Amino acid sequence: MTTIGFIYPDHAAEDDYPLAERLLGQRFPVEHIYGTDLHAVPELLDLGSPERLKEGAGLLAKHEPDAVVWACTSGSFVYGWEGARKQADQLAEVAGVPSTSTSFAFVEAAKALGVRKVAVAASYPDDVARLFVEFLGAGGVEVLSMSSAGIDTAAEVGELSPEAVVELAVAHDHPEADAVLVPDTAMRTLGVLGAIEDRLGKPVLTANQVTIWEGLRQAGAPVASAELGALFRDKGN
């Protein structure tokens, strides 16, 4: 059994991880770090700082993870491509195992599925959502359309109903997009992935989904599942 450790900011949708444990038969311990949950650039830069991630890695050490992931999209892409790479490298150094972040997980997942053009259905305010678009572009993923729901805090995102999550994704598709990307690990998405993909007829990549997938990939232990969307249907991805 593979153990992937997740550093999760505050509290919102972390119950997606025990759900994934049950579906995939792996260990996904989650440890929390705390800061403001405001979706604003200064606060996000603080949330993803080396000091906070070092604290998270220390909390995960007792679980002896095979890989560690900073389970926060905005707290990684807000640093830009090079800054996020440095963030992940520093995390790997303190954790002593392969490490990455949700932002890089989106890019790797898109590559695995052969996705080149996407629509982004973001919960963030517009200025933060645009930084995600820039990050994806740096990773070779073209964004055809971007929506921003303008939700200011992670706590509010965590309160979205399953129906609201489905509608957020479905309503912001683009007809020429290969996939729809739904960032924000504060959003519960694992339980509705099938419903969204059935409605859209194309792959959907969500923050907690790609975070878990990339953690397993970093550990060299891909796992297939029929319940976690197109990304998990082929364990060879």
Side-chain angles (χ1 to χ4, degrees), residues 18-105:
L19 171 59
E21 280 189 327
R22 295 192 294 273
L23 292 174
L24 298 173
Q26 309 298 315
R27 291 184 64 237
F28 298 144
V30 176
E31 294 289 350
H32 299 267
I33 59 173
Y34 298 93
T36 176
D37 72 344
L38 190 64
H39 288 146
V41 172
E43 285 78 7
L44 291 169
L45 289 170
D46 175 71
L47 190 61
S49 67
E51 295 77 17
R52 292 192 187 276
L53 296 189
K54 182 178 180 180
E55 176 190 354
L59 293 170
L60 283 170
K62 62 181 176 289
H63 301 289
E64 299 182 348
D66 298 296
V68 168
V69 187
W70 168 218
C72 184
T73 327
S74 55
S76 46
F77 70 67
V78 73
Y79 282 83
W81 186 270
E82 293 304 324
R85 174 56 61 202
K86 181 178 179 181
Q87 181 190 60
D89 289 345
Q90 289 174 332
L91 179 57
E93 185 175 348
V94 298
V97 294
S99 301
T100 189
S101 66
T102 302
S103 292
F104 286 119

Side-chain angles (χ1 to χ4, degrees), residues 173-186:
D173 184 23
H174 186 286
E176 296 179 17
D178 302 321
V180 174
L181 274 54
V182 187
D184 203 342
T185 56

